[in-house]
Amino acid sequence: MTDTTARVRELNLYRQYFDLVAAGTKTIEVRVKYPHLADLAAGDVIRFRIKGTDETCEVKVKRVTEYPNFESLLDGEGPANVNPTATRDEQLTNIRSVYPQEKEALGALAIEIELVSDSRSQRGPRTRHET
């Protein structure tokens, strides 16, 4: 990558997945291929936030791979990389509870991530509202 300034994206994450990312044990983040993620690339930084809090952690994107659906993503990436605490079938159920069938039809992204050291922060309660 020739650009020396990495783009930083902020994405919400449920607590259970945030904790796995912050511990460095979750190395693949799963997202629907929404238009706003179409240009996500290796070298970008993602700041994960637990929605409604100021608790964040940052990861560096190592790779982004597109799959036609969540099943093929789990088979291609390995369920233990997506969530080491759940079976493949449990993960498929959990992912589909977040992203219904019409969202899955957009395609699935496997985002290989690497925790940025000392990136976790937690501040007091939020004083402003996100729009």
Side-chain angles (χ1 to χ4, degrees):
M1 186 169 168
T2 57
D3 185 7
T4 57
T5 58
R7 292 179 300 174
V8 178
R9 311 275 183 117
E10 189 164 301
L11 300 174
N12 288 321
L13 204 55
Y14 289 113
R15 163 67 70 188
Q16 65 189 24
Y17 305 119
F18 179 92
D19 288 343
L20 294 172
V21 169
T25 58
K26 177 178 173 55
T27 59
I28 301 291
E29 172 61 10
V30 175
R31 295 286 164 144
V32 164
K33 188 184 170 196
Y34 290 123
H36 74 276
L37 295 176
D39 64 344
L40 187 66
D44 287 349
V45 171
I46 298 173
R47 181 178 300 121
F48 287 116
R49 175 180 306 279
I50 299 172
K51 191 172 186 172
T53 76
D54 279 335
E55 192 169 355
T56 64
C57 72
E58 290 187 358
V59 298
K60 183 175 181 180
V61 175
K62 295 175 69 178
R63 169 181 58 87
V64 180
T65 304
E66 184 179 342
Y67 290 91
N69 56 47
F70 298 131
E71 288 188 58
S72 59
L73 184 150
L74 288 171
D75 292 342
E77 300 295 331
N81 295 318
V82 175
N83 182 350
T85 67
T87 68
R88 179 190 180 281
D89 290 340
E90 289 170 336
Q91 289 182 55
L92 193 56
T93 299
N94 291 340
I95 293 168
R96 286 183 171 154
S97 72
V98 174
Y99 298 115
Q101 187 176 7
E102 64 272 11
K103 300 294 185 187
E104 184 176 359
L106 298 172
L109 296 177
I111 306 166
E112 185 177 2
I113 56 175
E114 179 178 60
L115 187 63
V116 175
S117 62
D118 298 325
S119 69
R120 190 170 182 169
S121 70
Q122 183 172 1
R123 294 177 220 110
R126 296 192 73 141
T127 58
R128 65 178 178 83
H129 296 289
E130 290 182 349
T131 56

